[in-house]
Amino acid sequence: MKKENEGLIEQFTKVQEELLPQVTLENNFHKEEISLVAGVDLAYWENDTKHYGTCCIVVVDYHTMKVVEKVHSYGEITVPYIPGFLAFRELPLIIEAAKKLKTAPTLYMFDGNGYLHYRHMGIATHASFFLKKPTIGVAKSYLKIKEQDFAMPKQEAGAFTDIVIDEDVYGRALRTTKGVKPIFISCGNEIDLATSTEVVMNFIHKESRLPIPVRLADLETHKVRKELKDNL
């Protein structure tokens, strides 16, 4: 199994390195055009010796905060979990779920990292090449890279500190609500960090430190996973 993973790591690293030059941390849209934002999350479970996963996408209106569409996919997971290469495990289900959408999101927001990644190729960044839309990474916990810690933001809503490693801004520690832990946001692709922050803060509600699309996608994965586990 170890040798098999070594081969996969070599293969996956090559793919990430080939995609990286195509990543742009600039907006390819006007902020006034933002209409629908899709939250994406996945959940897993085991049945006997097999591993399964479900991807849920929840599309939310940027202005009214109302849910306009929910879709999901599920299936057996055949790619092993290897830190730094989560996209290869999750992409098939993400692509399958996105194909079911009847609406056209302006951008996608992932429960996970984007540019804040060992090779700048977290799930939010990698998925953008298949979704053909701008993407944002929103992580609940900090991915430490090169032993670099982050500076804690001030205790006020909207306060942030940038995560800079080797003079490169990987992402941002953002305190969305006073008195709660920060979240960690990063550009996925075709969007800048300031706009990513603005979009995330637009969706912050007192119920959670997470932006609404990601929080709802997370809740949906738990619901769908339970239904699938009970019926498969």
Side-chain angles (χ1 to χ4, degrees):
M1 186 65 170
K2 185 178 179 182
K3 288 184 178 180
E4 179 186 345
N5 282 0
E6 287 176 356
L8 287 175
I9 289 171
E10 184 178 346
Q11 175 189 339
F12 292 168
T13 300
K14 183 179 179 182
V15 171
Q16 291 180 339
E17 290 175 347
E18 289 174 349
L19 289 174
L20 183 56
Q22 302 174 54
V23 175
T24 174
L25 306 184
E26 296 179 358
N27 296 345
N28 75 341
F29 60 93
H30 297 291
K31 287 191 284 187
E32 303 76 39
E33 299 172 352
I34 301 176
S35 174
L36 302 176
V37 176
V40 185
D41 195 13
L42 288 90
Y44 301 93
W45 71 95
E46 292 181 31
N47 187 353
D48 296 325
T49 58
K50 294 184 177 181
H51 297 262
Y52 294 89
T54 180
C55 172
C56 294
I57 300 178
V58 180
V59 181
V60 182
D61 188 289
Y62 187 68
H63 303 287
T64 67
M65 308 298 155
K66 291 184 178 179
V67 175
V68 298
E69 187 176 12
K70 295 180 183 179
V71 296
H72 75 269
S73 65
Y74 70 92
E76 185 179 351
I77 303 297
T78 57
V79 177
Y81 171 73
I82 307 174
F85 302 99
L86 192 62
F88 296 92
R89 184 175 168 91
E90 299 188 337
L91 272 173
L93 290 178
I94 292 170
I95 295 168
E96 184 183 340
K99 287 179 179 177
K100 296 181 179 181
L101 289 172
K102 296 178 180 178
T103 55
T106 313
L107 57 88
Y108 287 77
M109 185 180 289
F110 285 79
D111 187 337
N113 291 302
Y115 200 73
L116 179 54
H117 177 269
Y118 307 110
R119 287 165 298 281
H120 297 315
M121 198 58 61
I123 183 61
T125 304
H126 200 149
S128 70
F129 294 101
F130 298 88
L131 300 172
K132 308 296 184 185
K133 293 286 185 176
T135 54
I136 301 171
V138 180
K140 296 186 282 287
S141 57
Y142 179 56
L143 176 65
K144 183 181 281 192
I145 299 168
K146 296 184 179 180
E147 298 302 313
Q148 178 69 51
D149 288 316
F150 70 94
M152 190 66 73
K154 293 180 180 178
Q155 272 289 0
E156 57 187 54
F160 63 82
T161 56
D162 285 347
I163 299 162
V164 183
I165 304 171
D166 296 334
E167 300 183 355
D168 189 4
V169 180
Y170 277 57
R172 181 168 282 178
L174 173 66
R175 196 182 301 279
T176 55
T177 306
K178 183 178 180 179
V180 301
K181 295 179 180 179
I183 59 175
F184 303 91
I185 65 170
S186 54
C187 306
N189 197 8
E190 298 183 332
I191 190 170
D192 63 37
L193 191 53
T195 304
S196 298
T197 304
E198 187 176 332
V199 171
V200 167
M201 288 303 298
N202 177 75
F203 281 114
I204 295 301
H205 190 270
K206 61 183 179 180
E207 294 178 359
S208 174
R209 65 183 175 133
L210 297 172
I212 291 172
V214 166
R215 181 172 65 87
L216 293 182
D218 175 65
L219 293 173
E220 192 70 8
T221 59
H222 288 83
K223 174 186 173 184
V224 172
R225 176 174 61 185
K226 185 178 186 305
E227 292 172 354
L228 291 170
K229 285 178 69 176
D230 293 341
N231 292 294
L232 283 180

